[in-house]
Amino acid sequence: MTAVATAVSAAELEELGGHCELVEGELRQMAPTGYPHGRSTGRVSFQISAHVFASGLGDVLGAETGFRIAIDPDTVLAPDVAFVGADRVPADTTSQAFLDLAPDLVVEVISPSDRAGAVAENAARWLAAGVRLVWVVYPAQRFVAVHTADGVTHESAILTGGDVLPGLEIDLPGLFA
């Protein structure tokens, strides 16, 4: 007799707790990260947050905030940093475990355990779900891969928020110092 795998739903993921993402109903365990990852995540989050809060542009959300970007089978991803514009923040966020929307900006910081193929797949998932800008930060290599609907570019000097976060400029050499 062959066992049949059943897809996990977002509601079941919420009950499980732990540090997992859900991709098309399949649980994916996420390992804790190290110091370089945490430092880069904190620094990028600070830069985005300072700009967003000073301008009243919306909400910046930290690691482990789940976004359900597909239903049946469910996909719930948790970026290292996310930005949702003020005009898109749901009126009631207290009753939702996971937000049923795609952020405007997603930041993923690469750690040594990340596989290049999986990172590219997640960037594509985010864009397909409606994310306008995905930054993949490579701390060891000191650059950021910028993913948009138009393709991928690599930045190693100044990272800008484009039309998602107008006026935001991040000095990458300073960020990685």
Side-chain angles (χ1 to χ4, degrees):
M1 183 169 208
T2 304
V4 177
T6 57
V8 175
S9 71
E12 292 167 320
L13 175 63
E14 181 183 0
E15 289 177 20
L16 288 172
H19 194 60
C20 297
E21 288 185 320
L22 187 62
V23 177
E24 297 177 1
E26 177 188 322
L27 281 175
R28 296 204 177 158
Q29 187 73 30
M30 299 174 70
T33 61
Y35 184 85
H37 181 279
R39 182 177 71 178
S40 294
T41 300
R43 288 179 174 187
V44 169
S45 181
F46 174 79
Q47 296 281 334
I48 295 169
S49 295
H51 181 76
V52 166
F53 296 139
S55 305
L57 297 174
D59 285 341
V60 177
L61 301 143
E64 300 183 32
T65 301
F67 293 88
R68 184 166 63 171
I69 59 170
I71 298 173
D72 198 18
D74 292 351
T75 295
V76 177
L77 299 179
D80 291 312
V81 182
F83 163 73
V84 178
D87 60 329
R88 299 188 58 242
V89 174
D92 178 18
T93 57
T94 59
S95 63
Q96 297 182 41
F98 307 120
L99 292 176
D100 283 321
L101 61 82
D104 294 292
L105 166 70
V106 161
V107 180
E108 298 282 9
V109 178
I110 298 301
S111 60
S113 64
D114 287 327
R115 292 177 301 122
V119 171
E121 286 175 12
N122 265 2
R125 274 189 190 89
W126 283 121
L127 292 171
V131 172
R132 296 167 43 206
L133 185 59
V134 178
W135 291 346
V136 180
V137 179
Y138 291 83
Q141 294 82 8
R142 297 177 173 256
F143 77 90
V144 177
V146 178
H147 298 254
T148 66
D150 295 330
V152 181
T153 59
H154 295 88
E155 299 295 336
S156 58
I158 301 292
L159 184 62
T160 68
D163 63 350
V164 176
L165 288 171
L168 175 64
E169 291 187 355
I170 299 175
D171 172 58
L172 291 178
L175 182 79
F176 295 128

